[in-house]
Amino acid sequence: MSIELRNRALEYVNAFDGRTLGHFINGAAVEGEGDRFEVFEPATGEILGGACDATAKEVDAAVEAARSAFQRWAATPGTKRRKILHDIADLIEERADDIAAMECLDAGQAWRFMSKAALRGAENFRFFADQAPFASDGKSLPTQDHLNYTIRHPIGPVAVITPWNTPFMLSTWKIAPALASGCTVVHKPAEWSPFSARLLVEIAHEAGLPAGVLNTVNGLGESTGKRLTEHPDIKAIAFVGESKTGSAIMRQGSESLKRVHFELGGKNPVVVFEDADLDLALDAVIFMIYSLNGQRCTSSSRLLVQQSIHDDFVAELAKRVKILKVGDPFDPATEVGPLIHRRHFEKVASYMDVARRDGAIIAAGGAPHELGNGGYYFQPTLFTGARQSMRIAQEEIFGPVLTAYSFEDEADAIAQANDVKYGLAAYLWTADVGRALRVANAFEAGMVWVNSENVRHLATPFGGMKASGIGRDGGDWSFDFYMETKNVALAYGTHKIQRMGV
Ligand code: NAD
């Protein structure tokens, strides 16, 4: 099966002229006129294909398509938008294997996770589709003399800029609510894994999305991304990526006062108390850092274990980390695939020396995983004996690398957990309900899971505090971002208006 799926994904890439992606603007594929950049296959390190950096003219054309489609899409009844978005979800489900295979090929993600991620993309469309008919609904806020009511309008054409880690799923998570709100979109996927975004825009049009409503431009952040975020006709930017890119985008969008929504980096703690169900906690700790090749914003990359159980827990953990199955993303048995790109591989590898210099112990992994085929494989790695002040406990490594250390008591656990610039997610394992409530309350994180790994309910808010983001997605929070709220005040004719100049 895996060979067949890989071949199908390769055929898709090969069908592009020169294996090079252009853009998709106003309902049609266009060949790019800008500089070509290469896209590599993480599992082999070989050139998979390429894409064109959008020129200023092409970015303008995509924004113009979104601008001219906006009025009509915004005025399309919510029930009709719902139907189209469900049709997109149907097609995503039909093509789920192809989508998952593209993520394996282009992003190096393991099949066992990608087959579910593709379906989650369809779920994202269905969830927001069902809210489309009610997206404009507001509140009634009457006073003695006025009836106030609120109503929401889609904000306009928006830019969606996504990273490379789970490109398809993340794109649907941002694009589906934008379309459900009545916004039109220009999407710029990450340059290291651009192919599944093309699948998405093709599927959307096959399902009946009108031309201009979703446009995809390829390109580099500093050129295409910059132009898009500076464009005066783009009203809001939904961005997922690194914290420092978020700062750049805020600067770029500031001249035209754009609304921004940022989902950024993380250095998320998982805190294990001595009274926790340690077997379950161990499973969750392993899953939350080594799945998705550790390239997951919500990964629990810092493990804080209570001193009394620390040595035993970490010893069991090290045994399991050493036998994680690293391999070809298409092999259904693979648990950890390759890193996305040579540059990212080098970044992750560089932390081995950082850990040694700072005095941490490499208890598992610590070196490239050699498959002899040029892929960017790195051994699942565990640092022990770390301290909160070390760089390996402060910086986002974004690979299959876990930093473990101990804490004494509740206060110490909270202080160490919060002692980072990030605040995306936090995980907590304890059997004591009171403690769970206290610690969850004290965590500086946008999302806390107690006795659980990252299990998403799409109606709940998703996002981070501190350097991990601005704003929330999910449920109605997404609509609040993509829509303007207007208040209308109607007088009952009972109040007195002050008379001046009489
Ligand atoms: P990145 O910030 O380098 O790139 C993300 C996107 O931004 C890419 O499409 C890139 O081309 C574009 N970009 C770069 N510079 C730009 C600029 N000046 N103007 C406009 N666009 C620009 O991030 P990455 O390396 O692709 O992804 C990894 C990061 O994403 C990690 O920090 C991870 O934590 C974060 N992430 C966060 C979430 C979340 O929900 N919080 C989810 C996934 C990934």
Side-chain angles (χ1 to χ4, degrees):
M1 172 179 106
S2 68
I3 297 276
E4 192 192 310
L5 281 167
R6 185 169 181 280
N7 286 343
R8 251 177 28 211
L10 267 178
E11 257 170 48
Y12 179 82
V13 172
N14 290 340
F16 292 100
D17 195 16
R19 286 189 290 156
T20 302
L21 273 178
H23 318 291
F24 199 98
I25 299 173
N26 205 18
V30 290
E31 279 184 23
E33 289 174 1
D35 292 343
R36 181 182 189 277
F37 56 89
E38 276 161 355
V39 176
F40 295 87
E41 181 181 354
T44 61
E46 282 176 12
I47 295 169
L48 173 63
C52 290
D53 198 16
T55 60
K57 206 170 103 200
E58 288 161 343
V59 171
D60 286 350
V63 176
E64 177 51 26
R67 198 195 59 77
S68 30
F70 173 66
Q71 290 303 346
R72 190 179 302 173
W73 181 244
T76 301
T79 46
K80 177 97 190 284
R81 289 205 301 271
R82 176 175 63 192
K83 166 86 175 68
I84 293 174
L85 298 193
H86 272 292
D87 289 348
I88 296 175
D90 290 345
L91 277 186
I92 291 176
E93 279 169 9
E94 259 177 46
R95 304 277 308 271
D97 277 359
D98 288 331
I99 295 164
M102 188 55 76
E103 301 287 69
C104 297
L105 186 72
D106 193 16
Q109 292 288 5
W111 174 262
R112 64 193 292 149
F113 304 116
M114 285 308 99
S115 56
K116 292 188 192 80
L119 295 174
R120 171 59 205 290
E123 242 180 82
N124 288 338
F125 268 94
R126 293 201 194 287
F127 177 83
F128 291 110
D130 286 338
Q131 296 180 56
F134 319 105
S136 300
D137 288 2
K139 285 184 174 167
S140 159
L141 301 162
T143 63
Q144 180 76 21
D145 295 316
H146 288 84
L147 171 63
N148 288 275
Y149 68 87
T150 68
I151 185 166
R152 290 194 299 200
H153 302 286
I155 194 167
V158 299
V160 172
I161 300 185
T162 48
W164 42 257
N165 54 332
T166 46
F168 187 86
M169 198 290 289
L170 273 174
S171 305
T172 60
W173 173 238
K174 311 301 284 185
I175 291 170
L179 300 181
S181 308
C183 291
T184 52
V185 174
V186 180
H187 177 208
K188 193 204 86 63
E191 50 271 47
W192 285 353
S193 59
F195 281 98
S196 63
R198 174 54 84 89
L199 270 172
L200 176 61
V201 72
E202 286 175 0
I203 285 173
H205 284 81
E206 205 181 317
L209 193 72
V213 173
L214 172 61
N215 308 275
T216 305
V217 288
N218 278 298
L220 308 178
E222 52 274 19
S223 43
T224 301
K226 184 165 184 289
R227 281 186 199 118
L228 184 58
T229 52
E230 284 175 345
H231 202 292
D233 289 336
I234 290 290
K235 300 300 172 202
I237 306 165
F239 168 71
V240 186
E242 277 193 50
S243 302
K244 68 174 181 348
T245 314
S247 300
I249 289 179
M250 194 176 248
R251 279 194 297 277
Q252 291 158 199
S254 66
E255 196 61 36
S256 44
L257 293 176
K258 288 194 205 323
R259 182 182 290 184
V260 293
H261 184 182
F262 289 164
E263 287 179 5
L264 309 174
K267 189 72 181 177
N268 312 299
V270 50
V271 175
V272 182
F273 284 95
E274 60 191 2
D275 63 352
D277 180 329
L278 297 180
D279 291 337
L280 275 185
L282 186 61
D283 286 346
V285 164
I286 295 168
F287 176 77
M288 278 312 302
I289 182 67
Y290 299 108
S291 61
L292 304 185
N293 311 337
Q295 299 171 154
R296 182 206 284 264
C297 57
T298 50
S299 71
S300 50
S301 50
R302 288 186 294 146
L303 168 65
L304 287 80
V305 190
Q306 195 152 21
Q307 220 150 42
S308 52
I309 55 160
H310 173 272
D311 291 357
D312 289 347
F313 191 86
V314 166
E316 279 308 303
L317 172 63
K319 273 194 226 156
R320 298 257 301 263
V321 175
K322 285 178 185 160
I323 57 170
L324 283 169
K325 189 163 179 345
V326 181
D328 185 315
F330 283 97
D331 181 346
T334 291
E335 294 174 314
V336 182
L339 294 168
I340 181 80
H341 192 274
R342 163 78 41 203
R343 271 206 337 251
H344 187 56
F345 172 90
E346 282 162 6
K347 174 189 158 181
V348 171
S350 74
Y351 277 93
M352 304 306 122
D353 278 345
V354 172
R356 284 189 200 99
R357 270 202 305 273
D358 282 357
I361 297 157
I362 300 181
H369 181 96
E370 295 299 346
L371 284 183
N373 68 350
Y376 313 132
Y377 294 93
F378 203 84
Q379 294 171 356
T381 296
L382 173 66
F383 299 141
T384 58
R387 284 189 313 280
Q388 185 51 49
S389 55
M390 292 180 179
R391 282 181 59 195
I392 51 169
Q394 293 285 338
E395 297 174 15
E396 185 183 47
I397 301 172
F398 217 55
V401 179
L402 176 61
T403 301
Y405 39 107
S406 65
F407 66 88
E408 277 172 30
D409 53 18
E410 199 174 304
D412 185 30
I414 293 167
Q416 294 201 63
N418 288 342
D419 183 20
V420 283
K421 68 175 182 176
Y422 297 106
L424 186 59
Y427 305 84
L428 158 66
W429 288 84
T430 179
D432 179 337
V433 176
R435 174 152 64 197
L437 289 166
R438 289 190 301 275
V439 177
N441 225 15
F443 273 150
E444 293 169 0
M447 297 167 284
V448 176
W449 277 271
V450 178
N451 297 333
S452 183
E453 78 285 28
N454 173 352
V455 178
R456 286 281 295 128
H457 172 35
L458 300 183
T460 60
F462 183 101
M465 297 180 181
K466 296 156 76 174
S468 288
I470 296 177
R472 297 291 180 270
D473 266 328
D476 201 52
W477 286 273
S478 296
F479 289 94
D480 247 0
F481 175 70
Y482 290 114
M483 303 185 87
E484 291 281 19
T485 297
K486 180 193 285 171
N487 186 65
V488 181
L490 283 111
Y492 285 106
T494 52
H495 74 295
K496 284 219 165 11
I497 300 177
Q498 284 197 36
R499 299 188 69 214
M500 295 171 69
V502 190

